[in-house]
PDB file of all heavy atoms in Angstrom:
ATOM      1  N   ILE A 586      33.581-105.151 -72.700  1.00 46.00           N
ATOM      2  CA  ILE A 586      33.785-106.411 -73.159  1.00 46.00           C
ATOM      3  C   ILE A 586      35.229-106.835 -73.173  1.00 46.00           C
ATOM      4  O   ILE A 586      35.613-107.840 -72.866  1.00 46.00           O
ATOM      5  CB  ILE A 586      33.254-106.575 -74.625  1.00 46.00           C
ATOM      6  CG1 ILE A 586      31.745-106.611 -74.705  1.00 46.00           C
ATOM      7  CG2 ILE A 586      33.810-107.722 -75.417  1.00 46.00           C
ATOM      8  CD1 ILE A 586      31.153-107.948 -74.109  1.00 46.00           C
ATOM      9  N   GLN A 587      36.176-105.779 -73.603  1.00 46.00           N
ATOM     10  CA  GLN A 587      37.522-106.029 -73.467  1.00 46.00           C
ATOM     11  C   GLN A 587      38.097-106.400 -72.081  1.00 46.00           C
ATOM     12  O   GLN A 587      38.871-107.262 -71.813  1.00 46.00           O
ATOM     13  CB  GLN A 587      38.250-104.838 -74.072  1.00 46.00           C
ATOM     14  CG  GLN A 587      38.126-104.739 -75.555  1.00 46.00           C
ATOM     15  CD  GLN A 587      39.041-103.706 -76.170  1.00 46.00           C
ATOM     16  OE1 GLN A 587      39.087-102.571 -75.534  1.00 46.00           O
ATOM     17  NE2 GLN A 587      39.751-103.942 -77.131  1.00 46.00           N
ATOM     18  N   GLU A 588      37.479-105.659 -71.202  1.00 48.00           N
ATOM     19  CA  GLU A 588      37.832-105.883 -69.732  1.00 48.00           C
ATOM     20  C   GLU A 588      37.400-107.285 -69.284  1.00 48.00           C
ATOM     21  O   GLU A 588      38.115-108.000 -68.715  1.00 48.00           O
ATOM     22  CB  GLU A 588      37.032-104.873 -68.924  1.00 48.00           C
ATOM     23  CG  GLU A 588      37.457-104.722 -67.563  1.00 48.00           C
ATOM     24  CD  GLU A 588      36.580-103.779 -66.810  1.00 48.00           C
ATOM     25  OE1 GLU A 588      36.503-102.555 -67.243  1.00 48.00           O
ATOM     26  OE2 GLU A 588      35.830-104.143 -65.843  1.00 48.00           O
ATOM     27  N   LEU A 589      36.290-107.678 -69.885  1.00 50.00           N
ATOM     28  CA  LEU A 589      35.637-108.905 -69.542  1.00 50.00           C
ATOM     29  C   LEU A 589      36.489-110.078 -70.210  1.00 50.00           C
ATOM     30  O   LEU A 589      36.793-111.040 -69.581  1.00 50.00           O
ATOM     31  CB  LEU A 589      34.296-108.875 -70.095  1.00 50.00           C
ATOM     32  CG  LEU A 589      33.323-110.092 -69.959  1.00 50.00           C
ATOM     33  CD1 LEU A 589      31.887-109.537 -69.886  1.00 50.00           C
ATOM     34  CD2 LEU A 589      33.512-111.097 -71.052  1.00 50.00           C
ATOM     35  N   VAL A 590      36.968-109.843 -71.432  1.00 52.00           N
ATOM     36  CA  VAL A 590      37.701-110.898 -72.103  1.00 52.00           C
ATOM     37  C   VAL A 590      39.064-111.046 -71.351  1.00 52.00           C
ATOM     38  O   VAL A 590      39.544-112.255 -71.229  1.00 52.00           O
ATOM     39  CB  VAL A 590      37.902-110.495 -73.544  1.00 52.00           C
ATOM     40  CG1 VAL A 590      38.976-111.418 -74.208  1.00 52.00           C
ATOM     41  CG2 VAL A 590      36.558-110.548 -74.341  1.00 52.00           C
ATOM     42  N   SER A 591      39.600-110.006 -70.886  1.00 54.00           N
ATOM     43  CA  SER A 591      40.905-110.216 -70.187  1.00 54.00           C
ATOM     44  C   SER A 591      40.760-111.018 -68.860  1.00 54.00           C
ATOM     45  O   SER A 591      41.766-111.577 -68.356  1.00 54.00           O
ATOM     46  CB  SER A 591      41.576-108.798 -69.891  1.00 54.00           C
ATOM     47  OG  SER A 591      40.747-108.242 -68.893  1.00 54.00           O
ATOM     48  N   ASN A 592      39.442-111.055 -68.371  1.00 68.00           N
ATOM     49  CA  ASN A 592      39.250-111.896 -67.241  1.00 68.00           C
ATOM     50  C   ASN A 592      39.049-113.460 -67.500  1.00 68.00           C
ATOM     51  O   ASN A 592      39.045-114.174 -66.637  1.00 68.00           O
ATOM     52  CB  ASN A 592      38.000-111.373 -66.452  1.00 68.00           C
ATOM     53  CG  ASN A 592      38.350-110.101 -65.786  1.00 68.00           C
ATOM     54  OD1 ASN A 592      39.434-109.793 -65.488  1.00 68.00           O
ATOM     55  ND2 ASN A 592      37.312-109.276 -65.541  1.00 68.00           N
ATOM     56  N   LEU A 593      38.831-113.696 -68.728  1.00 73.00           N
ATOM     57  CA  LEU A 593      38.584-115.120 -69.178  1.00 73.00           C
ATOM     58  C   LEU A 593      40.006-115.813 -69.069  1.00 73.00           C
ATOM     59  O   LEU A 593      41.026-115.350 -69.129  1.00 73.00           O
ATOM     60  CB  LEU A 593      38.142-115.172 -70.597  1.00 73.00           C
ATOM     61  CG  LEU A 593      36.745-114.598 -70.913  1.00 73.00           C
ATOM     62  CD1 LEU A 593      36.449-114.682 -72.303  1.00 73.00           C
ATOM     63  CD2 LEU A 593      35.708-115.254 -70.130  1.00 73.00           C
ATOM     64  N   ARG A 594      39.740-117.118 -68.749  1.00 75.00           N
ATOM     65  CA  ARG A 594      41.046-117.982 -68.600  1.00 75.00           C
ATOM     66  C   ARG A 594      40.661-119.476 -69.118  1.00 75.00           C
ATOM     67  O   ARG A 594      39.525-119.831 -68.954  1.00 75.00           O
ATOM     68  CB  ARG A 594      41.426-117.973 -67.131  1.00 75.00           C
ATOM     69  CG  ARG A 594      40.364-118.669 -66.209  1.00 75.00           C
ATOM     70  CD  ARG A 594      40.605-118.364 -64.850  1.00 75.00           C
ATOM     71  NE  ARG A 594      39.677-119.146 -63.974  1.00 75.00           N
ATOM     72  CZ  ARG A 594      38.428-118.811 -63.726  1.00 75.00           C
ATOM     73  NH1 ARG A 594      37.901-117.762 -64.275  1.00 75.00           N
ATOM     74  NH2 ARG A 594      37.653-119.562 -62.912  1.00 75.00           N
ATOM     75  N   PRO A 595      41.721-120.213 -69.434  1.00 75.00           N
ATOM     76  CA  PRO A 595      41.462-121.542 -69.756  1.00 75.00           C
ATOM     77  C   PRO A 595      41.097-122.346 -68.511  1.00 75.00           C
ATOM     78  O   PRO A 595      41.543-122.124 -67.365  1.00 75.00           O
ATOM     79  CB  PRO A 595      42.840-122.049 -70.266  1.00 75.00           C
ATOM     80  CG  PRO A 595      43.743-120.817 -70.474  1.00 75.00           C
ATOM     81  CD  PRO A 595      43.073-119.768 -69.579  1.00 75.00           C
ATOM     82  N   VAL A 596      40.069-123.169 -68.673  1.00 76.00           N
ATOM     83  CA  VAL A 596      39.704-124.084 -67.633  1.00 76.00           C
ATOM     84  C   VAL A 596      39.527-125.481 -68.032  1.00 76.00           C
ATOM     85  O   VAL A 596      39.675-125.750 -69.262  1.00 76.00           O
ATOM     86  CB  VAL A 596      38.258-123.594 -67.139  1.00 76.00           C
ATOM     87  CG1 VAL A 596      38.295-122.217 -66.576  1.00 76.00           C
ATOM     88  CG2 VAL A 596      37.227-123.654 -68.289  1.00 76.00           C
ATOM     89  N   GLY A 597      39.369-126.375 -67.063  1.00 73.00           N
ATOM     90  CA  GLY A 597      39.281-127.795 -67.341  1.00 73.00           C
ATOM     91  C   GLY A 597      37.824-128.275 -67.586  1.00 73.00           C
ATOM     92  O   GLY A 597      36.975-127.450 -67.563  1.00 73.00           O
ATOM     93  N   ARG A 598      37.674-129.436 -68.010  1.00 72.00           N
ATOM     94  CA  ARG A 598      36.384-130.072 -68.307  1.00 72.00           C
ATOM     95  C   ARG A 598      35.474-130.026 -67.127  1.00 72.00           C
ATOM     96  O   ARG A 598      34.298-129.865 -67.198  1.00 72.00           O
ATOM     97  CB  ARG A 598      36.657-131.485 -68.806  1.00 72.00           C
ATOM     98  CG  ARG A 598      35.450-132.383 -69.059  1.00 72.00           C
ATOM     99  CD  ARG A 598      34.851-132.135 -70.311  1.00 72.00           C
ATOM    100  NE  ARG A 598      33.381-132.207 -70.105  1.00 72.00           N
ATOM    101  CZ  ARG A 598      32.495-132.009 -71.119  1.00 72.00           C
ATOM    102  NH1 ARG A 598      32.902-131.745 -72.351  1.00 72.00           N
ATOM    103  NH2 ARG A 598      31.154-132.073 -70.911  1.00 72.00           N
TER     104      ARG A 598
END
Side-chain angles (χ1 to χ4, degrees):
I586 285 291
Q587 285 186 318
E588 188 183 302
L589 183 152
V590 170
S591 70
N592 288 333
L593 294 175
R594 64 194 188 282
V596 293
R598 172 81 219 179

